[in-house]
Amino acid sequence: MIFYFSGTGNSRWAAQQLASYTGDTVCDLARMDNLPDLQGESRIGLVFPVYAWGPPQMVMEFAQNLPRTGAFTFGVGTCGSEAGLALKKLAAVYPLDSSYSLVMPNNYILAEDVESDGAVRRKLADASWQMERMAKEILAGQKVYRVKEGPMAWIKSGVVNAGFNRFARDTKPFHADDRCNGCGLCAWNCPAHAITVTDGRPPVWTGNCCQCLRCLHECPQQAIQYGSKTQNRGRYTIYKYLG
């Protein structure tokens, strides 16, 4: 069984691609009320986006509650470039037999604009090849650590990640501009249940945000902004490139 958490679809796609090779079932951990019975599972995987060189808090909390079985365990962290010590941090709460980082299109537009269509398609093509290789190793039960940690990983995954979780997940800068039609899709899609929409009025954000930016990227009107940083930047979801 492969559990995944995904903002704009990268990790969901990766989990589904792996499952197509391994024959496993995929489960969106953000939508689960109860854990399925894992006793009969031969493999348990966790696929997630790397946020500021660490796993999302939701993923860490989920992993802490996963029961230990005799299954082969693996983790895959999707990232724009480097994963830091994200997989080691996850393995500290849920032991992993194999760990991987997987470079995917960058979608953190609070820092920079989206990548070109050509760059996105090249990354997706390479990721497909990488996942086929991963799947063969996972099916063979090989213990692998293939993670691009990058330089100064201990600082990035320690100090920087701590700062991200303490300060950068602030919801105050989120707002909807006058293009918002109150459709409520942002609230429906939010994995952290951090958005409310009442009677078709603009959304309101609470303090539970995990900074996945799904609301911002998937708004049909492109009405959601984060301060003034995102007004002139593109939007990304992997679904634009599939099919």
Side-chain angles (χ1 to χ4, degrees):
M1 186 167 293
I2 301 175
F3 299 101
Y4 72 87
F5 171 80
S6 189
T8 58
N10 282 346
S11 294
R12 179 187 181 191
W13 178 74
Q16 291 173 332
Q17 290 293 104
L18 276 176
S20 71
Y21 292 125
T22 63
D24 288 305
T25 302
V26 294
C27 295
D28 182 350
L29 64 86
R31 299 293 185 185
M32 296 179 62
D33 294 321
N34 299 293
L35 274 175
D37 183 6
L38 300 178
Q39 290 303 315
E41 296 293 329
S42 57
R43 290 174 296 275
I44 297 174
L46 289 162
V47 182
F48 61 93
V50 175
Y51 292 161
W53 301 282
Q57 182 179 350
M58 186 181 297
V59 174
M60 291 289 281
E61 292 173 352
F62 179 84
Q64 286 176 321
N65 292 320
L66 268 179
R68 277 54 168 170
T69 68
F72 181 87
T73 59
F74 63 94
V76 180
T78 62
C79 55
S81 177
E82 301 167 353
L85 304 181
L87 276 300
K88 289 179 178 176
K89 292 182 75 169
L90 180 64
V93 300
Y94 185 74
L96 300 173
D97 292 309
S98 286
S99 299
Y100 302 91
S101 63
L102 182 68
V103 174
M104 294 287 285
N106 183 33
N107 53 30
Y108 193 65
I109 63 169
L110 306 193
E112 57 186 321
D113 208 346
V114 294
E115 297 175 293
S116 68
D117 281 358
V120 169
R121 294 186 189 282
R122 285 191 295 273
K123 281 189 171 182
L124 293 178
D126 186 63
S128 293
W129 177 84
Q130 293 289 344
M131 284 186 289
E132 187 173 359
R133 179 186 178 189
M134 286 180 202
K136 290 177 181 178
E137 294 168 345
I138 290 167
L139 286 171
Q142 295 180 23
K143 295 188 176 183
V144 176
Y145 185 83
R146 190 160 61 248
V147 177
K148 185 180 179 182
E149 295 183 351
M152 305 295 286
W154 65 276
I155 292 180
K156 292 174 180 176
S157 296
V159 176
V160 178
N161 183 256
F164 171 83
N165 283 312
R166 184 172 180 182
F167 302 111
R169 289 164 55 189
D170 183 14
T171 60
K172 291 179 182 178
F174 278 112
H175 65 280
D177 61 30
D178 57 11
R179 289 175 289 184
C180 175
N181 61 9
C183 72
L185 183 66
C186 54
W188 174 260
N189 281 339
C190 180
H193 308 293
I195 305 173
T196 57
V197 174
T198 305
D199 297 330
R201 293 196 293 269
V204 175
W205 282 261
T206 66
N208 300 319
C209 177
C210 57
Q211 278 275 351
C212 74
L213 304 185
R214 183 186 295 182
C215 60
L216 193 153
H217 284 287
E218 294 193 355
C219 174
Q221 310 302 320
Q222 293 192 11
I224 295 176
Q225 310 294 341
Y226 192 85
S228 60
K229 298 178 181 178
T230 59
Q231 291 177 357
N232 298 315
R233 291 178 178 170
R235 301 294 190 263
Y236 168 86
T237 67
I238 196 172
Y239 311 111
K240 172 184 174 182
Y241 300 92
L242 301 181

